[in-house]
Amino acid sequence: MLYPQQNDKRNRINLSGFWDFQLDPEEVGAAQGWSQGLDAPRTIAVPGSWNEQLDDAYHYLGMAWYLRDDVYVPDSWQGQQVMLRVGSANYYAQVWVNGQAVGEHIGGHLPFAFDVSEYVKWGEPNTIAVQIENHLQPNRIPAGNLPSTGGMGGSVLGGGYPASTFDFYPFAGIHRPVILYSVPQAHIDDVTVVTEIEGTTGIVSVTVQQIGDVSTGTLSLVGESVIATADLSFADGVAQVRLQVPDAKLWSIDSPYLYDLVITLQDGETVVDRYSLEIGIRTVEVKGTQLLLNGEPVYLKGFGRHEDFYASGRGLNEPLIVKDYSLMKWIGANSYRTSHYPYSEEEMRMADREGMLIIDEIPAVSLNFFGSEDDIATRLDMCKQQVEELVARDKNHPSVIMWSVANEPFGGPIAQMINPNMPANYDEIGRDFLGQLIDLAHTLDDTRPATLVGIMGASVEWIDLADVLLINRYYGWYMQTGRISEGKKGLEQELDSLAELNKPLLFSEFGADAMAGMHSIPAQVFTEDYQRDLIEMYLDVTAKHPFVIGMHIWNFADFQATQSISRVGGMNLKGVFTRARQPKMAAHLLRDRWKNKD
Ligand code: BDP
């Protein structure tokens, strides 16, 4: 799934901007020909969640239509393959060109593209329509409307609204750019780059896949000048090359050096297709209880985050990405997890450029292993699809250091609460499910560790499947509420037992809600003071344990969740920045600790 690009052989038109939009609660649009025109259109911005843009659609998660009828395809694209690509649409989408259905996609956060060559009209405007719905359903990933909770869900399953099983707003719509692009008939279809380091030499192994029957090509690696070149020779559509880069400039947190890898398909002297890609030479490895980047132990300082902001909702917001990166640099963070779904491709490129380490997560948040065998198989297939699509999309990003196949699969007390009659072999079913996902991540990419994120109280056998242990802990918040010193005891005890697993451990979530501007002495829950003190306690306790390889605070910024009695204004307030990106006291604590010490 290569990111479309414009060069001398390829074309791309970004269709971001104002589109026509109409809700379709009765789901009559397809039958009534809305794919060719909406009868009561209003304006919406693409990309962006509809919920944040239109006040009457805030809680609407049903079917809706997006349409543009002004799309010319340039004459110069004739003879090329014309593709229509959606960066992401949550959750189910079907795409139409000039009234013809060209394809559909399930899953809210990964790109999909269709060959629309035979549907486009030349010399006149084309009509592009996308219908999308985001019904919350028990077998979707992530799930909603769980029957065992009587359809009640919401924040921490406390019966919130909408009835998600996850603690963030189920924003809906076209969240990333819609791009019309063209590639030559014979073209570079995929590129896989793997890097190794031998002494001061970088090894860059490249596999190129092409569609068509061109048998040769070239490859060059460009730094300040051309560093290495090689000829490509294709057999069965695949060519492989191993480049040596003497005195390689490595990609690292402090110096995220990127080379340009330029690939051509060539018929004799004639260049048929060209694709270039920024790559970084670096290695990631787990050794004993350490995580190594370029052979050196790395300590992860950062956050769990969300794609979330006023008005744009979960939609791509490039100025916000730049702003968030500047705040993460200000605070001294070097890493984050794309909790709880894949973030935009634009953001992944930012991470490459800025030297940010990314734990790349699929949307398998709050999995449960209840239901019939068929139900479980449906969910497993969907998770596998997302692992496959994510690895295909992000495998070449040097910033990606780990795949996360699940966040907080329901086990222990939470599973019991949802379903008091849970099957005796529930833990076993869960382990098999999660084990299959970890195995799949390893099979698709054996160069990066794979992990899953454990919920408090769940069976240790599940997290033990991971190469790096990731755990979310809320001592002093959901447990021992208001008593940080009691929470500290719980944390210390658990750390002693986790040491026995002999694996690196990242605290992937911990924190407290804090209402910006609220203070108290002594520190009480929901004050900035309490959040600051709790975070400080975790940093102090974990610093004594060398197998702890990092601390990710939950959350970078306050974010929109569902409405419930534990979410004031529907907001999760665990951000160390507000939703508007103003610092709370904890942000200054972290800057002091991360910039000046550690
Ligand atoms: C964890 C979840 C996260 C929630 C967080 C919280 O992984 O999505 O937002 O707790 O309750 O259980 O704030």
Side-chain angles (χ1 to χ4, degrees):
M1 189 30 103
L2 295 177
Y3 194 75
Q5 60 186 220
Q6 176 71 56
N7 60 28
D8 58 333
K9 303 293 163 197
R10 296 172 166 239
N11 297 292
R12 87 174 228 155
I13 297 173
N14 187 335
L15 298 175
S16 298
F18 292 141
W19 287 53
D20 288 345
F21 181 74
Q22 192 168 338
L23 304 181
D24 182 12
E26 310 299 330
E27 305 203 356
V28 295
Q32 294 183 3
W34 292 17
S35 58
Q36 299 182 71
L38 303 176
D39 52 16
R42 51 185 169 159
T43 304
I44 198 158
V46 171
S49 302
W50 69 59
N51 318 77
E52 278 272 345
Q53 294 185 58
L54 303 168
D55 61 321
D56 61 321
Y58 190 80
H59 289 303
Y60 183 77
L61 300 174
M63 187 67 81
W65 286 77
Y66 288 76
L67 184 138
R68 270 186 73 159
D69 58 7
D70 60 347
V71 182
Y72 276 95
V73 186
D75 281 344
S76 57
W77 294 22
Q78 295 226 32
Q80 292 213 324
Q81 186 176 334
V82 180
M83 304 286 297
L84 185 62
R85 185 186 202 264
V86 180
S88 75
N90 198 19
Y91 180 88
Y92 164 84
Q94 186 169 21
V95 177
W96 309 70
V97 173
N98 298 323
Q100 309 245 35
V102 300
E104 58 183 354
H105 183 261
I106 288 191
H109 309 273
L110 287 158
F112 48 96
F114 305 115
D115 181 351
V116 296
S117 313
E118 60 177 289
Y119 303 101
V120 297
K121 296 190 280 192
W122 303 94
E124 55 182 304
N126 289 270
T127 300
I128 294 175
V130 186
Q131 61 165 336
I132 299 175
E133 51 84 357
N134 187 22
H135 295 301
L136 299 177
Q137 292 176 6
N139 282 342
R140 287 191 162 177
I141 303 295
N145 284 309
L146 286 191
S148 46
T149 60
M152 301 290 276
S155 301
V156 207
L157 292 178
Y161 175 73
S164 63
T165 57
F166 45 90
D167 184 28
F168 50 91
Y169 198 79
F171 286 122
I174 301 181
H175 284 152
R176 297 183 190 143
V178 179
I179 291 175
L180 192 65
Y181 70 98
S182 75
V183 290
Q185 292 297 345
H187 61 266
I188 298 156
D189 188 48
D190 195 18
V191 181
T192 307
V193 179
V194 171
T195 62
E196 293 156 278
I197 302 166
E198 284 176 6
T200 56
T201 303
I203 313 287
V204 180
S205 303
V206 185
T207 306
V208 181
Q209 265 174 271
Q210 68 146 319
I211 303 273
D213 54 5
V214 178
S215 56
T216 55
T218 65
L219 192 147
S220 51
L221 191 69
V222 186
E224 272 143 35
S225 58
V226 176
I227 309 287
T229 55
D231 289 330
L232 294 174
S233 158
F234 287 89
D236 295 329
V238 179
Q240 284 179 310
V241 160
R242 198 175 137 92
L243 296 174
Q244 306 249 2
V245 186
D247 295 321
K249 290 187 181 169
L250 302 185
W251 185 95
S252 66
I253 296 168
D254 295 328
S255 174
Y257 190 80
L258 294 172
Y259 291 90
D260 281 324
L261 182 68
V262 184
I263 301 162
T264 65
L265 281 188
Q266 266 178 242
D267 195 359
E269 289 301 296
T270 312
V271 175
V272 175
D273 188 20
R274 188 189 308 276
Y275 193 84
S276 53
L277 174 88
E278 290 183 321
I279 65 146
I281 300 176
R282 60 104 186 92
T283 57
V284 181
E285 192 189 344
V286 172
K287 204 167 186 189
T289 57
Q290 291 184 321
L291 179 70
L292 307 181
L293 182 70
N294 301 335
E296 299 287 328
V298 59
Y299 190 82
L300 303 178
K301 301 179 270 187
F303 301 95
R305 301 184 55 214
H306 269 295
E307 289 182 319
D308 172 273
F309 202 58
Y310 303 100
S312 50
R314 189 138 296 130
L316 174 66
N317 182 333
E318 285 166 315
L320 181 69
I321 294 174
V322 175
K323 171 84 180 168
D324 285 358
Y325 267 70
S326 85
L327 292 176
M328 285 192 283
K329 298 266 163 161
W330 174 87
I331 212 169
N334 61 16
S335 54
Y336 61 91
R337 177 167 59 112
T338 68
S339 43
H340 294 303
Y341 38 79
Y343 290 5
S344 68
E345 290 160 287
E346 293 74 11
E347 181 157 342
M348 302 308 290
R349 296 175 78 187
M350 181 75 174
D352 292 346
R353 296 169 70 133
E354 297 296 322
M356 197 63 76
L357 304 179
I358 303 291
I359 299 171
D360 211 356
E361 185 158 283
I362 65 160
V365 42
S366 313
L367 284 169
N368 73 79
F369 311 110
F370 297 125
S372 67
E373 275 180 24
D374 280 355
D375 290 333
I376 295 174
T378 305
R379 281 177 244 143
L380 182 58
D381 284 351
M382 193 57 205
C383 288
K384 286 184 174 172
Q385 178 193 319
Q386 311 233 23
V387 173
E388 278 162 11
E389 289 182 9
L390 180 65
V391 175
R393 191 193 77 162
D394 286 353
K395 62 188 172 183
N396 295 325
H397 288 287
S399 53
V400 175
I401 54 161
M402 219 182 291
W403 306 112
S404 166
V405 302
N407 177 73
E408 297 199 342
F410 285 157
I414 266 243
Q416 194 82 45
M417 189 179 95
I418 301 169
N419 188 348
N421 305 316
M422 56 198 274
N425 62 344
Y426 182 82
D427 276 3
E428 232 172 88
I429 303 172
R431 186 177 165 87
D432 175 62
F433 189 115
L434 297 167
Q436 289 197 46
L437 295 181
I438 294 274
D439 287 350
L440 178 62
H442 285 154
T443 310
L444 294 170
D445 178 9
D446 62 5
T447 71
R448 291 176 176 92
T451 192
L452 56 94
V453 180
I455 192 170
M456 205 159 177
S459 124
V460 94
E461 284 81 44
W462 290 359
I463 55 165
D464 194 25
L465 290 164
D467 301 318
V468 176
L469 306 175
L470 265 65
I471 56 170
N472 298 346
R473 290 298 180 264
Y474 286 96
Y475 293 107
W477 185 253
Y478 293 121
M479 320 275 285
Q480 306 91 23
T481 311
R483 287 154 293 158
I484 293 176
S485 55
E486 290 297 305
K488 182 173 179 216
K489 283 184 208 151
L491 177 62
E492 282 169 338
Q493 268 171 19
E494 193 183 1
L495 272 169
D496 289 340
S497 65
L498 286 167
E500 289 164 17
L501 295 176
N502 208 27
K503 288 190 174 181
L505 171 80
L506 169 73
F507 274 80
S508 40
E509 284 186 28
F510 63 101
D513 286 73
M515 180 88 78
M518 187 179 275
H519 295 277
S520 74
I521 298 175
Q524 307 226 38
V525 287
F526 288 103
T527 62
E528 289 193 33
D529 314 65
Y530 190 89
Q531 182 192 41
R532 197 209 80 97
D533 291 356
L534 184 88
I535 290 175
E536 185 170 46
M537 179 277 278
Y538 271 80
L539 297 184
D540 289 343
V541 169
T542 54
K544 295 183 198 125
H545 296 268
F547 68 100
V548 176
I549 56 131
M551 300 300 283
H552 279 181
I553 284 103
W554 190 257
N555 189 285
F556 170 70
D558 294 345
F559 61 91
Q560 197 63 50
T562 56
Q563 295 178 75
S564 78
I565 50 166
S566 56
R567 295 286 175 264
V568 182
M571 296 286 293
N572 184 310
L573 298 172
K574 293 193 185 68
V576 303
F577 293 94
T578 62
R579 200 183 191 207
R581 274 42 182 181
Q582 300 306 329
K584 301 183 192 169
M585 281 171 79
H588 294 283
L589 163 80
L590 289 168
R591 177 172 151 86
D592 185 41
R593 298 286 291 244
W594 284 347
K595 278 246 162 165
N596 305 332
K597 295 186 203 157
D598 295 340

